[in-house]
Amino acid sequence: MNILILSCGTRNKLIRFFKESFHSLPGGGRVIAADCSDWAPALYEADAFYLVPPMKDGGYLSRILEICEKEKADALLPLFEDELDLMAQNRDFFESRGIRVIVSEADTVALCRDKYRFFTHLKENGLPVLPTFLTPEQFDRARAAGEADFPVFVKPVRGCGSVGISRVDCRELLEALFRYGKEELLIQKLADGEEFGADIYVDMISGQPVSVFVKKKVRMRAGETEKSVSFCDPELFELIVRTVSTLRLRGPVDMDIFRMDGKYYISEINPRFGGGYPHAWHAGLRFPDMIAQNLAGRENPVRIGNYEEGLRMMKYTDELLR
């Protein structure tokens, strides 16, 4: 059984985890990596690697298919947000050729990418979500009614990795950001409480969340969790499972949650491996094993929260010379 991991970038640890899982399969398995840059260090961790054109190139899909056929890949795993959309929309192109695409349904990927649509979806399903506004005028009306106030976060509607996020404390700056910004923006209540991240695996056969790992974020860097501690709370597990059940998610999922005044709020869902997933792996939640099980046609058993609380993860920098 072989897997091709796309846009591998700096996800060296993830490549290593997949190699540990797939190499131990009956008959063995291989992990292939692809990226559009030869400066992507994770390429050189894989059993084989390929440089590919940028995903917006007209020949991109054909090149990925060519690699799959050459390497006898049974599955594709995209890691980059824009590539999730592309692969979800072209699922049939690959699966009609016997190559499984490990990505959520296209409508769910699109919903999760659009932060305002995601907010609306959660609100309509009675799930706790931070107050969010699409225009300064919406915010003004809520502020006049006593339902919102400064400070707030302003962020791109389709952003990722904390890029373009600004804390705003006054109406003048809010107006300037919306007037001169190049991207569509939204306004969200400033979340000043505790921040949590959840790594979730949704079984690709049953469609049910079968594994949930929660970490309390201690320190962030460039939008990724740098230091965290494992955390267990049945109330939060129940909320995560309830939220996932409203969406057509499949495979690995990353979720951000805040707790303020003793109440949890869902912030975002990224339908992919999160940057903090290594914490879950080291706590015993081996998503690559679960992917291999699904690719072999077997459902994974439900094991929610089966890990030790209080395990601390600390990331540090490494180097690779070529």
Side-chain angles (χ1 to χ4, degrees):
M1 184 183 294
N2 303 324
I3 187 167
L4 172 60
I5 299 179
L6 305 176
S7 298
C8 61
T10 59
R11 306 299 287 274
N12 296 54
K13 285 284 189 178
L14 194 59
I15 298 292
R16 294 175 199 173
F17 298 156
F18 269 94
K19 286 172 66 178
E20 184 174 329
S21 289
F22 276 58
H23 287 185
S24 65
L25 293 172
R30 299 175 74 243
V31 178
I32 320 304
D35 201 281
C36 65
S37 170
D38 62 358
W39 287 93
L43 285 172
Y44 310 110
E45 300 272 2
D47 295 312
F49 70 86
Y50 292 85
L51 294 177
V52 296
M55 57 165 285
K56 293 183 180 179
D57 187 287
Y60 183 74
L61 293 175
S62 297
R63 176 58 174 151
I64 298 303
L65 177 61
E66 178 186 322
I67 295 169
C68 287
E69 291 176 340
K70 179 179 177 180
E71 295 290 346
K72 297 181 172 54
D74 300 282
L76 286 173
L77 175 67
L79 300 180
F80 180 57
E81 269 81 2
D82 290 340
E83 204 159 34
L84 299 179
D85 286 319
L86 180 67
M87 290 301 162
Q89 293 165 9
N90 289 278
R91 185 191 305 275
D92 290 346
F93 176 77
F94 292 99
E95 296 198 344
S96 64
R97 295 165 170 83
I99 304 160
R100 188 76 181 269
V101 181
I102 305 168
V103 69
S104 297
E105 297 299 327
D107 57 349
T108 292
V109 171
L111 177 66
C112 292
R113 286 298 310 277
D114 187 318
K115 292 179 173 58
Y116 192 74
R117 283 184 60 205
F118 181 69
F119 158 77
T120 303
H121 172 84
L122 293 185
K123 192 172 181 181
E124 289 175 348
N125 282 275
L127 294 161
V129 63
L130 297 168
T132 302
F133 312 94
L134 200 53
T135 66
E137 292 72 27
Q138 282 184 357
F139 173 72
D140 289 341
R141 290 192 291 272
R143 192 181 181 202
E147 298 169 355
D149 205 350
F150 292 107
V152 295
F153 265 139
V154 172
K155 59 177 72 174
V157 170
R158 293 175 180 82
C160 62
S162 298
V163 175
I165 290 181
S166 303
R167 173 179 168 141
V168 176
D169 293 274
C170 65
R171 185 63 172 75
E172 291 77 14
L173 179 56
L174 184 67
E175 180 69 27
L177 287 171
F178 272 81
R179 179 175 297 176
Y180 300 110
K182 296 180 179 180
E183 298 180 274
E184 186 180 10
L185 302 173
L186 58 76
I187 304 158
Q188 192 171 75
K189 175 183 171 65
L190 180 68
D192 55 1
E194 299 173 295
E195 186 175 0
F196 300 87
D199 296 287
I200 305 152
Y201 188 77
V202 181
D203 194 86
M204 294 190 292
I205 297 174
S206 70
Q208 301 300 311
V210 294
S211 182
V212 175
F213 174 81
V214 176
K215 53 189 174 289
K216 182 178 178 180
K217 299 181 180 183
V218 177
R219 180 175 173 179
M220 301 289 291
R221 181 173 64 173
E224 285 197 3
T225 306
E226 185 180 56
K227 295 177 172 61
S228 55
V229 57
S230 59
F231 177 82
C232 295
D233 183 354
E235 178 188 348
L236 182 52
F237 293 149
E238 188 276 332
L239 174 60
I240 289 169
V241 170
R242 188 154 50 95
T243 302
V244 169
S245 71
T246 70
L247 297 160
R248 298 204 298 164
L249 292 161
R250 294 292 184 275
V253 176
D254 173 62
M255 183 185 294
D256 291 331
I257 307 116
F258 288 94
R259 183 168 64 182
M260 297 181 290
D261 301 320
K263 184 177 179 180
Y264 291 112
Y265 295 87
I266 304 298
S267 174
E268 295 183 9
I269 286 180
N270 301 301
R272 55 164 172 75
F273 273 102
Y277 169 71
H279 197 166
W281 169 275
H282 292 301
L285 286 79
R286 297 168 59 102
F287 290 3
D289 290 359
M290 299 178 194
I291 287 173
Q293 280 283 98
N294 282 162
L295 294 178
R298 296 186 291 269
E299 291 185 21
N300 289 285
V302 178
R303 296 184 179 132
I304 305 294
N306 61 322
Y307 56 88
E308 182 180 347
E309 190 169 22
L311 294 173
R312 297 190 296 169
M313 182 191 77
M314 295 157 274
K315 283 187 179 179
Y316 59 94
T317 304
D318 203 349
E319 299 83 30
L320 174 66
L321 300 182
R322 292 283 291 182

